[in-house]
Coordinates of all heavy atoms in Angstrom, one line a residue:
Y13 N -11.2 4.8 -5.9 CA -9.8 4.8 -5.4 C -9.2 6.2 -5.5 O -9.6 7.0 -6.3 CB -9.0 3.9 -6.3 CG -7.5 3.7 -5.9 CD1 -7.2 3.4 -4.6 CD2 -6.5 3.8 -6.9 CE1 -5.8 3.3 -4.3 CE2 -5.2 3.6 -6.6 CZ -4.9 3.4 -5.3 OH -3.6 3.2 -4.9
A14 N -8.3 6.5 -4.6 CA -7.7 7.9 -4.5 C -6.7 8.2 -5.5 O -6.4 9.4 -5.8 CB -7.1 8.1 -3.1
W15 N -6.1 7.2 -6.2 CA -5.1 7.4 -7.3 C -3.9 8.3 -6.9 O -3.7 9.3 -7.5 CB -5.8 7.9 -8.5 CG -6.8 7.0 -9.0 CD1 -8.2 7.1 -9.1 CD2 -6.5 5.7 -9.7 NE1 -8.7 6.0 -9.6 CE2 -7.8 5.1 -10.0 CE3 -5.4 5.0 -9.9 CZ2 -7.9 3.9 -10.5 CZ3 -5.5 3.7 -10.5 CH2 -6.7 3.1 -10.8
P16 N -3.1 7.9 -5.9 CA -2.0 8.8 -5.6 C -0.9 8.8 -6.7 O -0.2 9.8 -6.9 CB -1.3 8.1 -4.3 CG -1.9 6.7 -4.4 CD -3.2 6.8 -5.0
G17 N -1.0 7.8 -7.6 CA 0.0 7.7 -8.7 C -0.7 8.3 -10.0 O 0.0 8.3 -11.1
N18 N -1.9 8.7 -9.9 CA -2.6 9.4 -11.1 C -2.7 8.5 -12.3 O -2.8 7.3 -12.2 CB -1.9 10.7 -11.3 CG -2.2 11.7 -10.2 OD1 -3.3 12.1 -9.9 ND2 -1.2 12.1 -9.5
V19 N -2.6 9.1 -13.5 CA -2.9 8.4 -14.7 C -1.8 7.3 -15.0 O -2.1 6.2 -15.5 CB -2.8 9.4 -15.9 CG1 -3.0 8.6 -17.2 CG2 -4.0 10.4 -15.8
R20 N -0.6 7.6 -14.5 CA 0.5 6.5 -14.7 C 0.1 5.3 -13.9 O 0.4 4.2 -14.3 CB 1.8 7.1 -14.2 CG 3.0 6.2 -14.4 CD 4.3 6.8 -13.9 NE 4.7 7.9 -14.6 CZ 4.9 9.1 -14.1 NH1 4.7 9.3 -12.8 NH2 5.2 10.1 -14.8
E21 N -0.4 5.5 -12.7 CA -0.8 4.3 -11.8 C -2.0 3.6 -12.5 O -2.0 2.4 -12.5 CB -1.2 4.8 -10.5 CG -1.6 3.6 -9.5 CD -2.0 4.1 -8.1 OE1 -2.1 5.3 -7.9 OE2 -2.2 3.2 -7.3
L22 N -2.9 4.3 -13.1 CA -4.1 3.7 -13.8 C -3.5 2.8 -15.0 O -4.0 1.7 -15.2 CB -5.0 4.8 -14.3 CG -6.2 4.2 -15.2 CD1 -7.1 3.2 -14.4 CD2 -7.0 5.4 -15.7
R23 N -2.6 3.3 -15.7 CA -2.0 2.6 -16.8 C -1.4 1.3 -16.3 O -1.5 0.2 -16.9 CB -1.0 3.4 -17.6 CG -0.4 2.8 -18.8 CD 0.7 3.6 -19.4 NE 1.2 3.0 -20.6 CZ 2.1 2.0 -20.8 NH1 2.5 1.4 -19.6 NH2 2.5 1.6 -21.9
N24 N -0.6 1.4 -15.3 CA 0.0 0.2 -14.7 C -1.0 -0.8 -14.2 O -0.8 -2.0 -14.4 CB 1.0 0.5 -13.6 CG 2.2 1.4 -14.1 OD1 2.5 1.3 -15.3 ND2 2.8 2.1 -13.2
L25 N -2.1 -0.3 -13.6 CA -3.1 -1.2 -13.1 C -3.8 -2.0 -14.3 O -4.0 -3.2 -14.2 CB -4.1 -0.4 -12.3 CG -5.2 -1.3 -11.6 CD1 -5.6 -0.6 -10.3 CD2 -6.5 -1.3 -12.5
I26 N -4.1 -1.3 -15.4 CA -4.7 -1.9 -16.6 C -3.8 -2.9 -17.1 O -4.2 -4.0 -17.5 CB -5.0 -0.8 -17.6 CG1 -6.1 0.1 -17.1 CG2 -5.5 -1.5 -18.9 CD1 -7.5 -0.6 -16.8
E27 N -2.5 -2.7 -17.1 CA -1.5 -3.6 -17.6 C -1.5 -4.9 -16.8 O -1.5 -6.0 -17.3 CB -0.1 -3.0 -17.6 CG 0.9 -4.0 -18.2 CD 2.3 -3.3 -18.4 OE1 2.4 -2.1 -18.1 OE2 3.3 -4.0 -18.8
R28 N -1.6 -4.7 -15.4 CA -1.7 -5.9 -14.6 C -3.0 -6.7 -14.8 O -3.0 -7.9 -14.8 CB -1.6 -5.5 -13.1 CG -0.2 -5.0 -12.7 CD 0.0 -5.0 -11.2 NE -1.0 -4.2 -10.5 CZ -0.8 -2.9 -10.3 NH1 0.3 -2.3 -10.7 NH2 -1.7 -2.2 -9.6
W29 N -4.1 -5.9 -15.0 CA -5.4 -6.6 -15.3 C -5.3 -7.4 -16.6 O -5.9 -8.5 -16.6 CB -6.5 -5.5 -15.4 CG -7.8 -6.0 -15.7 CD1 -8.6 -6.9 -14.9 CD2 -8.6 -5.6 -16.8 NE1 -9.8 -7.1 -15.6 CE2 -9.8 -6.3 -16.7 CE3 -8.4 -4.8 -17.9 CZ2 -10.8 -6.3 -17.7 CZ3 -9.4 -4.7 -18.9 CH2 -10.6 -5.4 -18.8
L30 N -4.8 -6.9 -17.6 CA -4.6 -7.6 -18.8 C -3.8 -8.9 -18.7 O -4.1 -9.9 -19.3 CB -4.1 -6.7 -20.0 CG -5.0 -5.6 -20.5 CD1 -4.2 -4.7 -21.4 CD2 -6.2 -6.2 -21.2
I31 N -2.8 -8.8 -17.9 CA -1.9 -10.0 -17.6 C -2.5 -11.0 -16.8 O -2.6 -12.2 -17.1 CB -0.5 -9.5 -17.0 CG1 0.2 -8.6 -18.1 CG2 0.3 -10.7 -16.7 CD1 1.4 -7.9 -17.5
L32 N -3.1 -10.5 -15.6 CA -3.7 -11.4 -14.7 C -5.0 -12.0 -15.1 O -5.4 -13.1 -14.8 CB -3.8 -10.8 -13.3 CG -2.5 -10.3 -12.6 CD1 -2.8 -9.6 -11.4 CD2 -1.7 -11.5 -12.3
G33 N -5.8 -11.1 -15.8 CA -7.1 -11.6 -16.3 C -8.2 -11.8 -15.3 O -9.1 -12.5 -15.5
N34 N -8.0 -11.2 -14.0 CA -8.9 -11.5 -13.0 C -9.2 -10.1 -12.3 O -8.3 -9.5 -11.7 CB -8.3 -12.5 -12.0 CG -9.3 -12.9 -10.9 OD1 -10.2 -12.1 -10.5 ND2 -9.2 -14.2 -10.5
I35 N -10.4 -9.7 -12.3 CA -10.8 -8.4 -11.7 C -10.5 -8.4 -10.2 O -10.1 -7.4 -9.7 CB -12.3 -8.0 -12.1 CG1 -12.4 -7.7 -13.5 CG2 -12.7 -6.9 -11.2 CD1 -13.8 -7.4 -13.9
S36 N -10.8 -9.5 -9.6 CA -10.6 -9.5 -8.1 C -9.2 -9.2 -7.7 O -8.9 -8.6 -6.8 CB -11.1 -10.8 -7.5 OG -10.3 -11.9 -8.1
D37 N -8.2 -9.7 -8.6 CA -6.8 -9.5 -8.3 C -6.5 -8.0 -8.4 O -5.7 -7.4 -7.6 CB -6.0 -10.2 -9.3 CG -6.0 -11.7 -9.1 OD1 -6.3 -12.1 -7.9 OD2 -5.8 -12.4 -10.0
V38 N -7.2 -7.3 -9.3 CA -6.9 -5.9 -9.5 C -7.6 -5.1 -8.4 O -7.0 -4.2 -7.8 CB -7.5 -5.4 -10.9 CG1 -7.3 -3.9 -11.0 CG2 -6.7 -6.2 -12.0
T39 N -8.8 -5.4 -8.1 CA -9.5 -4.6 -7.1 C -8.9 -4.7 -5.8 O -8.9 -3.8 -5.0 CB -11.0 -5.0 -7.0 OG1 -11.1 -6.4 -6.8 CG2 -11.7 -4.7 -8.3
S40 N -8.4 -5.9 -5.4 CA -7.6 -6.0 -4.1 C -6.4 -5.2 -4.1 O -6.1 -4.6 -3.0 CB -7.3 -7.5 -3.9 OG -6.3 -7.9 -4.8
S41 N -5.7 -5.0 -5.3 CA -4.6 -4.1 -5.2 C -4.9 -2.7 -5.2 O -4.2 -1.9 -4.6 CB -3.7 -4.4 -6.5 OG -4.4 -4.0 -7.6

């Protein structure tokens, strides 16, 4: 991924992953 939001975006993505519990949901985003 290109990470336009950098480390802050990565942190938010990990938070969504912990909440959703589904890797496919994260990778699609």
Side-chain angles (χ1 to χ4, degrees):
Y13 184 48
W15 298 109
N18 292 294
V19 178
R20 184 181 296 122
E21 184 183 2
L22 173 62
R23 183 187 185 279
N24 293 340
L25 185 144
I26 294 298
E27 182 172 357
R28 291 199 299 273
W29 176 61
L30 289 171
I31 294 171
L32 296 174
N34 190 323
I35 291 180
S36 61
D37 292 334
V38 176
T39 54
S40 64
S41 67

